[in-house]
């Protein structure tokens, strides 16, 4: 799941760098013991959602399903506990987000969807080892994708199936982001049906007990596409926005170098380290003091963006986009 979280963070980082002129991104990561039903509900309740906003929710971890409950095809999230009373139905997350009335809601999960005795029905109230290349990705394709209006739900396996992973993360998660890559390259149409049709191809897994299938499942509730009305929000206070300016070659290099003390003061601590990881999200490429990292990426002629993979100011983990 640590690899899964890094994979998802990297790909949101790619989207954030591609779409920074069209969308303001606010990313919240919770994992481990902090990933509880109550915390999820609190985070969603506290979202300041405006009419043109997009809310994208992703869960990775254990999942299950109640017996004889075929009317609900979606899994229950196990939330790091064996106490099934604390599990969170995916459909409930969809209801919570929908109640905030975003223009587009996407709820996605990579978890098992296998029936299990004792589970109750819940009431429903990159080409380079070191960096990922942005060349060849069309930001306008992603703008069209997220201009949709309505709801999207997708989970990694249909009712009655397990979901599988390997050392590189969830198989469905990786297949989904590979489909997003194709969309950015113009190989599939920039709409949710085309994307999910590609991402939900049947997976075949060889196990010690033989060959098994995994069939991702999705539904879209879309009322056609709308024109995005951009809402001006403050983009200056996020680390991603600051780093984006730092590597923006249209800004004079001396001006960018002069930004570094302010970035260090706002976003780092005195002894902060930055860990750069390869595109497999497991191999550490470099460990630098924060000032050295910021100066290096500022002076690099190749770096186009940085995907931030965690929220730890003492040991920030990042992946380079070229």
């Amino acid at each position: 799941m640590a690899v899964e979280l890094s994979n998802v963070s990297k790909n949101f980082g790619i989207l954030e760098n591609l779409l920074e002129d069209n969308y303001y991104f606010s990313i919240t990561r919770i994992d481990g013991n902090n990933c509880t039903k109550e915390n999820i509900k609190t985070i969603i309740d506290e979202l300041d959602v405006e009419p043109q906003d997009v809310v994208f929710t992703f869960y990775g971890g254990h999942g299950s399903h109640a017996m004889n409950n075929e009317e609900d095809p979606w899994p229950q999230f196990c939330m790091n506990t064996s106490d099934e009373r604390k599990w969170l139905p995916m459909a409930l997350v969809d209801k919570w987000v929908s109640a905030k009335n975003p223009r587009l809601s996407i709820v996605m999960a990579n978890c098992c969807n296998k029936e299990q005795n004792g589970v109750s029905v819940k009431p429903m109230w990159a080409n380079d080892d070191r960096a990922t290349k942005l060349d060849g990705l069309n930001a306008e394709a992603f703008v069209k994708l997220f201009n949709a209006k309505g709801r999207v739900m997708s989970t990694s396996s249909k009712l009655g199936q397990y979901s599988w992973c390997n050392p590189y993360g969830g198989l469905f998660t990786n297949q989904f982001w590979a489909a997003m890559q194709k969309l950015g390259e113009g190989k599939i149409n920039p709409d949710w049906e085309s994307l999910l049709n590609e991402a939900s191809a049947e997976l075949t897994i060889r196990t010690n007990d033989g060959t098994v299938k995994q069939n991702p499942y999705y539904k879209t509730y879309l009322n056609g596409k709308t024109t995005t009305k951009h809402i001006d929000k403050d983009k200056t206070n996020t680390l991603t926005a600051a780093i984006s300016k730092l590597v923006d070659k249209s800004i004079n290099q001396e001006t960018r170098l002069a930004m570094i003390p302010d970035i260090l003061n706002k976003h780092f601590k005195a002894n902060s380290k930055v860990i750069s990881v390869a595109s497999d999200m497991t191999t550490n490429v470099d460990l630098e003091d924060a000032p050295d990292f910021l100066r290096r990426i500022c002076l690099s002629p190749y770096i186009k963006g940085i995907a931030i993979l965690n929220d730890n100011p003492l040991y920030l983990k990042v992946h380079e986009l070229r």
Side-chain angles (χ1 to χ4, degrees):
M1 287 302 101
V3 174
E4 184 88 333
L5 180 58
S6 292
N7 277 339
V8 173
S9 296
K10 177 192 79 171
N11 284 289
F12 272 106
I14 291 171
L15 288 175
E16 186 169 9
N17 277 271
L18 284 170
L19 299 177
E20 61 182 349
D21 293 333
N22 302 89
Y23 290 96
Y24 166 80
F25 276 68
S26 176
I27 299 174
T28 301
R29 305 173 185 87
I30 55 173
D31 63 350
N33 293 329
N34 292 322
C35 194
T36 65
K37 179 178 180 179
E38 291 74 18
N39 283 349
I40 296 289
K41 182 67 163 63
T42 298
I43 289 169
I44 294 174
D45 283 346
E46 292 179 352
L47 285 177
D48 182 15
V49 179
E50 299 185 27
Q52 292 298 321
D53 284 350
V54 177
V55 179
F56 197 135
T57 306
F58 179 91
Y59 170 83
H62 285 301
S64 189
H65 201 283
M67 302 292 289
N68 302 315
N69 186 31
E70 295 182 1
E71 292 184 1
D72 178 11
W74 309 106
Q76 295 184 26
F77 304 158
C78 294
M79 312 304 291
N80 290 307
T81 177
S82 59
D83 185 351
E84 69 91 24
R85 295 171 299 177
K86 297 179 180 179
W87 293 358
L88 174 58
M90 180 174 173
L92 188 54
V93 175
D94 175 60
K95 286 183 178 293
W96 289 345
V97 174
S98 296
K100 304 294 291 189
N101 295 313
R103 177 174 52 76
L104 177 63
S105 165
I106 305 116
V107 180
M108 183 169 294
N110 186 65
C111 64
C112 292
N113 200 9
K114 183 73 173 173
E115 302 99 323
Q116 183 180 345
N117 285 322
V119 179
S120 63
V121 177
K122 305 297 188 294
M124 290 314 296
W125 284 107
N127 293 325
D128 187 315
D129 287 341
R130 296 174 60 88
T132 293
K133 295 185 183 297
L134 293 179
D135 295 343
L137 293 181
N138 181 6
E140 185 60 30
F142 294 108
V143 172
K144 290 180 180 178
L145 181 72
F146 289 106
N147 269 356
K149 182 178 181 181
R151 292 161 49 223
V152 174
M153 293 181 72
S154 177
T155 191
S156 53
S157 56
K158 69 180 182 181
L159 176 59
Q161 289 185 333
Y162 296 112
S163 290
W164 298 84
C165 64
N166 60 25
Y168 305 104
L171 299 185
F172 168 71
T173 306
N174 291 335
Q175 185 165 269
F176 172 79
W177 290 112
M180 287 284 266
Q181 176 81 15
K182 289 184 178 180
L183 184 144
E185 294 171 348
K187 295 178 180 177
I188 59 176
N189 292 331
D191 61 76
W192 285 99
E193 289 290 342
S194 299
L195 173 68
L196 292 173
N197 186 58
E198 178 80 18
S200 299
E202 182 180 72
L203 292 159
T204 302
I205 305 97
R206 291 195 179 110
T207 72
N208 292 333
D209 298 323
T211 299
V212 296
K213 302 290 186 182
Q214 180 181 332
N215 300 93
Y217 177 80
Y218 72 87
K219 277 191 175 182
T220 61
Y221 307 86
L222 302 172
N223 299 320
K225 297 177 181 178
T226 62
T227 301
T228 303
K229 294 181 180 178
H230 303 304
I231 300 171
D232 293 327
K233 297 185 180 180
D234 183 7
K235 299 184 179 182
T236 62
N237 291 325
T238 68
L239 179 56
T240 297
I243 288 179
S244 179
K245 284 188 175 181
L246 197 61
V247 299
D248 184 351
K249 307 303 185 292
S250 67
I251 302 174
N252 176 273
Q253 187 177 85
E254 292 302 316
T255 300
R256 288 185 282 126
L257 285 169
M259 298 176 185
I260 291 177
D262 186 56
I263 296 173
L264 288 169
N265 183 56
K266 285 183 177 179
H267 301 287
F268 291 94
K269 297 185 180 297
N271 298 318
S272 291
K273 303 287 185 182
V274 180
I275 304 167
S276 297
V277 301
S279 56
D280 62 6
M281 296 296 106
T282 60
T283 304
N284 291 344
V285 173
D286 211 345
L287 175 65
E288 303 165 278
D289 292 328
D292 295 338
F293 164 75
L294 294 175
R295 182 174 176 82
R296 176 176 66 81
I297 65 173
C298 178
L299 295 175
S300 170
Y302 307 110
I303 295 174
K304 296 182 178 179
I306 296 292
I308 297 174
L309 306 181
N310 67 7
D311 301 301
N312 185 345
L314 278 176
Y315 285 94
L316 187 72
K317 185 177 287 189
V318 303
H319 176 66
E320 294 179 9
L321 309 172
R322 299 194 175 208

